[in-house]
Amino acid sequence: MTARAEPIVSGIRPAFALHHRSLVIDLHTDALYEHVRGRKDITQRSDVLQVDIPRLKQGGVNAQVFAIWTNPDLFKPGKRATFVLKAIDAFKRICRRCPEDIALALGPGDIRTIRASGRIAGILGVEGGHALEGDLANLDRFYRRGVRVLTLTWNNSNPFARSCMSRDGPRRGLTRLGHEAVKRMNRLGIVIDLSHASDRAFSDVLDTSTAPVICSHSACRALRRFPRNLTDEQLKALGQARGVIGIVFLPYFLTRAYRKATIEHVLNHIEHSADIAGINAVAIGSDFDGFGDSPPKGLEDVTRMPAFTEGLLRRGFSEPDIKKILGENFLRVWKEVTRKAGNPSRLPD
Ligand SMILES: [Zn+2]
C-alpha cells in the first residue's frame, strides 16, 4: 500500500504552480497520426480533438510520445513501414516549421535540455509491430530515423506477438521472432510498450527483456474488467520489473458507465496502480486524439492537465510522488533502457 497523508494543500492555484514546475510527460497521443492523415494541423491551435502544439504548451506538457499508428485495415502489408517513415518525416517538418516550439528527443538527456529552452520534446513511437512488416531490420531503420518507443502489438496480432484483443489472445504470447525483436530492442535502446499485448505476451516479454518496459496507455482491470487493462498480478510484475503504466484517459477503459466518466475515474486508476504496482510504476498515457470526441469530464483536452495535478494533490499524494507520476518515472525507465543498450550516443540519419 502507498501511505498517503491528508492533503495539506489543495486548490487550483498551488496545483497550477506545482504542475508548471514539474516535468510532465504524456506517454501516448495519436495527434501525429491525425496530422498526417490531414484531419488537423497540430502546429495550429484548434478545437479538433484534444491535442496540438499550442494546447500542449498551455497544458504544461513538456514531453509527448507521438504514436505512429498504421491502421492495418487501411495499410496493407508492404505499405506499413513506408507510412511510418512518412509520419517520421512529417514530424521532422513540424520541428523545422516550429523550431521555437518543439524538437525531437532522441535520448532521455534531451528531455531536460529541450524543456529548458521552453520547447516541447517530441518522442517518436510506433504503435503496432505489424508496421515492421515481419522484418527485424525495420527496427534498426526506425531507430535510426528517431523512433524510441515501440508498442509491440495493436488490436491485431502480428508475427511477433499476440494481441489482447485476439480471440485466443490471453493464452498465446511472443513468437520466436518476437523473442528476437525484444532482444534487438534491448540492444538498440527502444522502449518496449506492452499496451495491447496479450496477457501471455506481457509475461513472455517480462521474462525476456533485460530492460524495464512500459504499458503506455492502459488502466486497471480490477476497476474495469477489459482485456486492454492490467490485472493486479500484472501491475505487481510491472512494478517489480521497474516498468511503468501510463494511465489512459479513454472513458471506456475507466468505468462501465463510460458515458459518465470524469477525471475522478482517472484518479481512481492512478491510486489503484500506485497501491498495487508501487508509486515508481505510475505515469500518464492520455491517448488524447485516439478516442474521438468523448474525453472524461474535467479532462476535456490537454490544456486541462493542471486539473490532473490538482486532483493528485487533493487525493493526498506528496509533491515528490506527484512529480514521479507526472514524468520522472518514465524518464527513469528511458534512462535505464538507454543505459542497458549501451549506445546512448547513437544518432539517427
Ligand atoms: Zn492504442
Side-chain angles (χ1 to χ4, degrees):
M1 294 291 285
T2 310
R4 282 189 289 278
E6 282 301 306
I8 302 160
V9 265
S10 68
I12 197 70
R13 208 177 290 172
F16 194 79
L18 170 58
H19 184 79
H20 284 278
R21 68 173 179 270
S22 303
L23 172 69
V24 180
I25 308 179
D26 178 11
L27 304 194
H28 197 89
T29 179
D30 283 340
L32 180 61
Y33 175 78
E34 296 296 341
H35 177 95
V36 176
R37 69 188 276 237
R39 193 159 173 206
K40 63 185 194 182
D41 175 355
I42 63 166
T43 66
Q44 306 296 316
R45 177 183 291 268
S46 78
D47 55 7
V48 179
L49 299 176
Q50 298 92 22
V51 174
D52 49 53
I53 293 169
R55 284 189 286 172
L56 280 167
K57 279 194 153 179
Q58 189 185 335
V61 175
N62 307 117
Q64 176 69 62
V65 178
F66 288 96
I68 301 170
W69 175 56
T70 48
N71 183 338
D73 298 326
L74 219 58
F75 299 98
K76 297 298 170 202
K79 307 276 184 203
R80 295 164 176 175
T82 316
F83 178 78
V84 170
L85 299 178
K86 184 181 158 186
I88 293 171
D89 289 344
F91 183 77
K92 290 178 179 171
R93 273 198 304 278
I94 290 168
C95 294
R96 284 197 296 273
R97 265 173 69 195
C98 309
E100 292 178 355
D101 297 317
I102 190 160
L104 176 62
L106 294 171
D110 293 340
I111 297 287
R112 289 194 202 280
T113 324
I114 294 171
R115 181 186 177 210
S117 64
R119 295 175 295 172
I120 295 158
I123 304 161
L124 289 176
V126 168
E127 182 170 25
H130 58 276
L132 296 168
E133 314 268 17
D135 184 357
L136 293 182
N138 277 325
L139 277 175
D140 302 59
R141 194 166 296 139
F142 292 168
Y143 180 90
R144 281 199 307 273
R145 301 286 192 105
V147 170
R148 293 295 181 268
V149 177
L150 186 117
T151 316
L152 197 57
T153 71
W154 183 63
N155 288 341
N156 54 325
S157 296
N158 61 49
F160 306 100
R162 199 48 65 143
S163 164
C164 68
M165 303 305 277
S166 294
R167 201 177 285 171
D168 61 347
R171 293 189 304 278
R172 293 176 65 183
L174 269 184
T175 62
R176 194 186 294 182
L177 192 62
H179 275 99
E180 280 181 47
V182 168
K183 298 269 180 220
R184 195 117 156 199
M185 286 191 275
N186 285 162
R187 274 204 306 276
L188 285 166
I190 293 180
V191 179
I192 301 169
D193 176 10
L194 297 177
S195 280
H196 291 278
S198 72
D199 289 354
R200 178 69 192 275
F202 175 95
S203 48
D204 283 354
V205 174
L206 256 59
D207 289 344
T208 308
S209 179
T210 54
V213 300
I214 65 170
C215 291
S216 67
H217 57 304
S218 292
C220 309
R221 217 179 289 178
L223 304 188
R224 168 64 166 144
R225 213 177 137 80
F226 190 59
R228 279 278 284 103
N229 289 339
L230 301 194
T231 64
D232 283 358
E233 202 182 316
Q234 289 175 318
L235 285 170
K236 272 183 210 147
L238 187 66
Q240 278 159 12
R242 303 179 57 76
V244 298
I245 176 173
I247 294 294
V248 72
F249 297 176
L250 200 161
Y252 192 79
F253 292 12
L254 299 173
T255 170
R256 273 177 69 166
Y258 55 93
R259 286 195 180 85
K260 293 184 179 155
T262 72
I263 186 172
E264 300 308 318
H265 293 102
V266 177
L267 293 166
N268 293 344
H269 284 266
I270 293 276
E271 282 196 328
H272 185 80
S273 53
D275 285 343
I276 305 297
I279 191 68
N280 295 331
V282 187
I284 321 165
S286 69
D287 203 10
F288 274 150
D289 281 16
F291 52 84
D293 290 313
S294 55
K297 198 166 181 295
L299 284 170
E300 284 77 6
D301 71 2
V302 69
T303 65
R304 300 284 293 145
M305 280 294 197
F308 175 77
T309 301
E310 191 273 329
L312 293 174
L313 269 178
R314 187 160 35 78
R315 296 231 179 171
F317 285 94
S318 68
E319 180 167 332
D321 285 355
I322 290 173
K323 287 187 166 180
K324 285 181 177 184
I325 296 169
L326 289 177
E328 301 292 344
N329 282 339
F330 172 75
L331 187 64
R332 191 253 314 148
V333 168
W334 197 12
K335 280 180 186 164
E336 285 188 30
V337 169
T338 306
R339 199 182 315 127
K340 289 223 154 81
N343 61 354
S345 61
R346 217 191 252 206
L347 291 172
D349 293 343

